Amino acid sequence: MDEVTVRDSQLKPCKDDERVCVTDLRDCGPRLSSSVQKTLNISCYYQKSADGRTSMTCGWPQESSSHTESDASLIFTSGYKTVSCQGIFNPAAVLKVTARIKHLTAGGEIWSEPHTVDLYYAVKPIQPVLTALGSTEDSLVVSWRSSREGRCRLRYRINNTRIWTQAPDYIAAQADLLTCTIKDLLPFTTYRAAVACRGRSGVWSDWSADISGRTLDRVPSRPLEVCYRVEEKGSGGSSLLHLLWKAPDPREAGGRVLGYQVSHEPNGLIQNVTELTTVLAVEEVNCTVTVTAFNTAGYGPAAHLRINTQRQNSGNLWISSSYPGKKALLVQWNTFLTASSAPPVSHFAVRWRSEKSLSTSRWSRVDSFTTSTVIEDVEPDESYLITVSPVYNHQFGSPQSLSASLQQGALMEAVSLKVVGVTKTTVTIVWAWQKKSGPIRVNRYRVLLRKDSDRQALLLWPDQWRHSFFNLTPNTEYSLLLLADNVSMSIVPVTTYFDVVSVVATATTLLLLSVIVLIISILSRTECTNRNILDIKDFQVTDILGEKSLIVVDPDFPRSSEDNLQEDTSLLPTLQLDTQLVTFTQSELG
């Protein structure tokens, strides 16, 4: 859009035609034969400033095909002889306006067809001056001056934003001083506002200069969700009471929060804090704690807690990253165990904050039956401290924390796997956790114990460093693998011990066979006439279970190769098995 504004002080009369006023006397001369006359879609408005000066502004669409530099001027022609060109602009005047456009680079010029303007219907109102009168929790009151005819429109936006909101209704200009209330605003928020007006002509004024105003504070309307945990300091009897709450949303809480007042009974302790957590050193944990949010408007409703000293056990935590596919961190934990007398977990509180700025944090609430959540909108070049706490009504258990980033996932790695204990059926291992030394990203660490198809797998959690594998096979070589996802970081061989019972049983069997062979050898050397002196009871042997059993001798059993042994009974040794099993002596053999 090409636009030209001419002030009354710039106008000069043409000597050859007293009805014509121009800004450049060269426009008074005849048109060049090479000039072109076109019909331009000209629109004009008349304006009178606060100091009484008048002006005319005319504009027309810019030709999209024209890329040459040009200079435009306006020629005003009255229907009557002009006494003074400085007074030609007035609401009673009817003027014909001609635009002369000179092409500076290509040469030539264009003259528009005369455009008739009735200044009474082309008046542009003066730019209003807007003033802020006051505010409430959710509204601003503004005022400005305007003519008694026409109407005005109002717009507003939150400070430091670019999106304007147009007030839904036009304001009728029924008085010199107009007042309007902008409603449904946020509490304690700075807004900017502007106004524009038009008269009968339908031409809108310029928007007024922006004014700023701030709504008032509103007292927080909702109590906080407060949780606690009791930590025993030692044998002195004193304890640490950890309190934790979530920052309320201003839209939900009814207003912003400047700080929090924490009071403890029965000792009457009162303190104001700005963080979302605090720790109290208390001698008596059977107490009542009150936490209240406040701002300049006052104190909101209090959250009251009766402290339960039931201790809760913690769980395990791991974090993995899906970057660059997705800018998100997957937080996983296993079941948080509770004592049988403790209430069940009502939900989990997940908190994350940049390790560069620990004073600011964000929270999310996860249902009790869920063991994972996804944290989105995290920066790739930031590392975050992420904490998961189980909540039992208003009591939260021991939190688990872990650092992580999009680039590497959890900033911890498992190293130094080794065996510290072996039996015939168990293997005990230990490992260590250290700050991640490289840029690798691992979804999970595992230890795998394997022997052919016999395998046992263990997921590793950062708060664990020792584990025992049970129900293994004695005297068997196994392999222990430390895996980062499916990549082996180290392999440790280990062999279970011999089974002592099986070794003793084998030795016992061999000894019994030796005894049987020896007895048969003796019997084979005894004459038949003396065989009736042997009593069958003498060949009963007491077994391990204490029962009497016969030693059966086959007559056809081949004789021992030791036929030349002397029959002197002194050659029969005293045979002793394990003292807990059975003992054979010469007297028992007769």
Side-chain angles (χ1 to χ4, degrees), residues 35-251:
S35 64
V36 178
Q37 188 168 4
K38 288 186 176 181
T39 301
L40 300 178
N41 186 18
I42 297 178
S43 62
C44 301
Y45 61 83
Y46 156 73
Q47 191 170 30
K48 187 175 183 179
S49 64
D51 59 2
R53 308 304 297 180
T54 59
S55 64
M56 281 280 291
T57 300
C58 296
W60 54 90
Q62 185 180 21
E63 294 184 9
S64 59
S65 60
S66 177
H67 301 287
T68 60
E69 187 178 357
S70 61
D71 181 30
S73 60
L74 298 178
I75 302 169
F76 301 94
T77 303
S78 175
Y80 306 96
K81 179 181 178 180
T82 301
V83 177
S84 171
C85 285
Q86 277 71 32
I88 193 174
F89 298 151
N90 63 81
V94 176
L95 303 175
K96 291 184 180 298
V97 182
T98 302
R100 182 182 182 183
I101 306 170
K102 303 174 184 178
H103 295 293
L104 301 180
T105 56
E109 60 184 22
I110 296 174
W111 290 70
S112 71
E113 293 286 349
H115 174 69
T116 301
V117 180
D118 187 340
L119 270 64
Y120 182 80
Y121 295 103
V123 175
K124 181 178 182 178
I126 300 173
Q127 181 185 36
V129 177
L130 191 63
T131 303
L133 297 182
S135 62
T136 65
E137 298 171 352
D138 59 358
S139 67
L140 283 176
V141 181
V142 296
S143 177
W144 68 95
R145 292 189 177 276
S146 175
S147 65
R148 291 179 177 269
E149 298 177 348
R151 54 184 179 174
C152 301
R153 58 186 178 184
L154 194 65
R155 67 181 185 181
Y156 58 92
R157 61 183 171 89
I158 295 177
N159 193 32
N160 298 326
T161 65
R162 297 183 178 181
I163 300 177
W164 289 95
T165 299
Q166 184 84 34
D169 299 321
Y170 290 106
I171 299 99
Q174 299 176 348
D176 293 338
L177 185 63
L178 298 177
T179 301
C180 180
T181 300
I182 307 173
K183 299 179 180 180
D184 299 325
L185 305 181
L186 295 176
F188 205 79
T189 303
T190 300
Y191 287 86
R192 303 193 73 82
V195 67
C197 298
R198 72 179 184 184
R200 288 184 176 180
S201 64
V203 180
W204 286 100
S205 70
D206 294 329
W207 286 102
S208 68
D210 295 352
I211 59 100
S212 64
R214 181 189 294 177
T215 53
L216 301 179
D217 252 343
R218 176 184 296 162
V219 175
S221 60
R222 293 188 179 183
L224 299 168
E225 295 183 13
V226 185
C227 303
Y228 72 92
R229 178 172 63 90
V230 177
E231 177 186 353
E232 297 181 2
K233 291 179 61 178
S235 59
S238 61
S239 300
L240 294 179
L241 179 60
H242 296 260
L243 298 174
L244 178 70
W245 54 89
K246 181 181 179 181
D249 188 327
R251 294 177 182 268

Side-chain angles (χ1 to χ4, degrees), residues 432-484:
W433 291 95
Q434 67 179 21
K435 194 75 173 178
K436 187 166 288 186
S437 58
I440 62 172
R441 184 168 63 246
V442 177
N443 288 329
R444 289 309 298 264
Y445 286 96
R446 294 181 301 151
V447 170
L448 179 65
L449 183 142
R450 70 182 183 185
K451 171 64 177 177
D452 300 329
S453 61
D454 184 11
R455 299 190 175 198
Q456 295 187 38
L458 172 70
L459 281 177
L460 303 187
W461 301 90
D463 64 334
Q464 296 176 338
W465 56 272
R466 185 184 182 97
H467 180 76
S468 294
F469 292 99
F470 296 96
N471 301 322
L472 306 183
T473 304
N475 191 26
T476 303
E477 183 176 350
Y478 290 88
S479 294
L480 285 163
L481 287 78
L482 175 60
L483 300 175

